[in-house]
Amino acid sequence: NYGSWGCLVNAVNCLSERAFQCAVTEMSEFMFLYLFILVLKNILTYNKEFPFDVQSVPLRKILAPGEEENLEFEEDEEEGGAGAGSQDSFPARVPGTLLPRLPSEPGMTLLTIRIEKIGLKDAGQCIDPYITVSVKDLNGINLTPVQDTPVASRKEDTYVHFKVDIELQKHVEKLTKGTAVFFEFKHYKPKKRFTSTKCFAFMEMDEIKPGPIVIELYKKPTDFKRKKLQLLTKKPLYLHLHQTLHKD
């Protein structure tokens, strides 16, 4: 049956790509097993009788980290977007790759970052938007595993809403000087059949404080070394976060 075989092929392709990501981000075997379970869970809880036909699902090009820097840039963010002001809910929810909170240690602090929403002039045009969260040193090297949020819960006016918690995978006291938490906003481009980074934001160590915070958005490509930053727009549109510190 093509449906069941197609489903398994998709699962294998997905796991192969995740294996590549594990190698890139130096993820442990435990983490890869966790992702494997997520894929199987997503198949088994799919809201259709199994086996199901996947012929209607378009293939999407998966980009290696940094590959999109060589692709065509997004349209000028200052130009009007037909989707601005629209309201929509996404029918499908991508599982994401969020990780649980680390075990507490005496005298050590853990950080939970809630991604509330992001402001974009053309928020209504974004397809399957999600945010990739990474923790980088001054040289752009990953200090923790990279995490992807699920697809956003809804779009409303000039905002894409997430309301999802990110558990930082390192105690705050163990982060090196110059560390920053990066947030890359990504969305699917059906005409070009790939997922592209639209913009990014970052939060530095001195901004780690309990409570709400809004941070500026920058144009892609993502500059992990923070040397050539260019604001996405002059409009008052930001990434809205809320931080919670946990100390044992």
Side-chain angles (χ1 to χ4, degrees):
N1 183 287
Y2 178 84
S4 56
W5 275 110
C7 177
L8 292 175
V9 168
N10 279 0
V12 169
N13 289 338
C14 177
L15 291 171
S16 297
E17 182 58 34
R18 288 303 181 190
F20 170 76
Q21 292 294 337
C22 286
V24 170
T25 61
E26 299 180 353
M27 285 189 186
S28 64
E29 292 184 10
F30 173 80
M31 182 53 55
F32 180 64
L33 178 60
Y34 173 77
L35 295 171
F36 174 76
I37 293 173
L38 277 180
V39 172
L40 290 182
K41 182 180 178 181
N42 197 43
I43 293 173
L44 295 175
T45 57
Y46 189 70
N47 192 27
K48 285 187 179 181
E49 184 178 352
F50 189 86
F52 47 86
D53 193 354
V54 296
Q55 294 186 66
S56 59
V57 179
L59 295 176
R60 295 192 176 186
K61 180 181 179 182
I62 304 296
L63 301 178
E67 182 181 352
E68 60 200 8
E69 295 183 9
N70 297 320
L71 298 174
E72 180 181 355
F73 274 31
E74 301 283 349
E75 292 79 7
D76 188 356
E77 301 302 328
E78 291 296 323
E79 295 180 2
S86 66
Q87 180 174 344
D88 188 24
S89 293
F90 301 98
R93 299 297 298 275
V94 174
T97 57
L98 300 183
L99 303 173
R101 189 180 305 168
L102 293 176
S104 60
E105 292 184 17
M108 293 293 182
T109 306
L110 290 169
L111 173 63
T112 301
I113 303 174
R114 169 162 279 241
I115 301 177
E116 297 283 1
K117 60 184 178 180
I118 186 172
L120 296 167
K121 185 175 181 179
D122 58 349
Q125 292 181 314
C126 298
I127 299 174
D128 291 349
Y130 67 96
I131 292 178
T132 295
V133 182
S134 58
V135 182
K136 310 276 189 180
D137 66 11
L138 279 172
N139 295 316
I141 304 300
N142 283 323
L143 300 178
T144 67
V146 177
Q147 303 183 61
D148 288 337
T149 71
V151 164
S153 56
R154 64 191 176 98
K155 297 176 289 186
E156 185 177 16
D157 298 325
T158 54
Y159 289 101
V160 179
H161 295 261
F162 287 90
K163 294 190 179 298
V164 63
D165 289 339
I166 307 296
E167 302 292 347
L168 204 70
Q169 297 297 297
K170 204 175 189 73
H171 293 89
V172 175
E173 291 81 1
K174 296 180 180 179
L175 296 173
T176 57
K177 184 178 180 180
T179 295
V181 183
F182 281 82
F183 306 86
E184 297 175 89
F185 180 85
K186 301 180 178 181
H187 66 129
Y188 182 60
K189 305 182 79 171
K191 290 184 179 180
K192 298 183 179 180
R193 297 176 66 183
F194 63 72
T195 296
S196 172
T197 297
K198 185 175 185 66
C199 60
F200 72 99
F202 63 89
M203 185 177 69
E204 297 184 315
M205 293 287 291
D206 60 356
E207 297 175 290
I208 297 181
K209 300 172 183 177
I213 182 176
V214 294
I215 54 179
E216 293 178 318
L217 303 175
Y218 297 94
K219 290 183 178 181
K220 72 174 197 179
T222 308
D223 182 8
F224 292 122
K225 296 183 179 181
R226 292 161 270 166
K227 292 183 177 180
K228 297 180 180 179
L229 300 172
Q230 186 176 3
L231 287 174
L232 178 69
T233 176
K234 296 179 181 179
K235 299 181 183 299
L237 298 172
Y238 307 98
L239 177 63
H240 296 250
L241 308 171
H242 189 281
Q243 301 180 81
T244 303
L245 296 174
H246 313 272
K247 191 161 187 177
D248 202 7

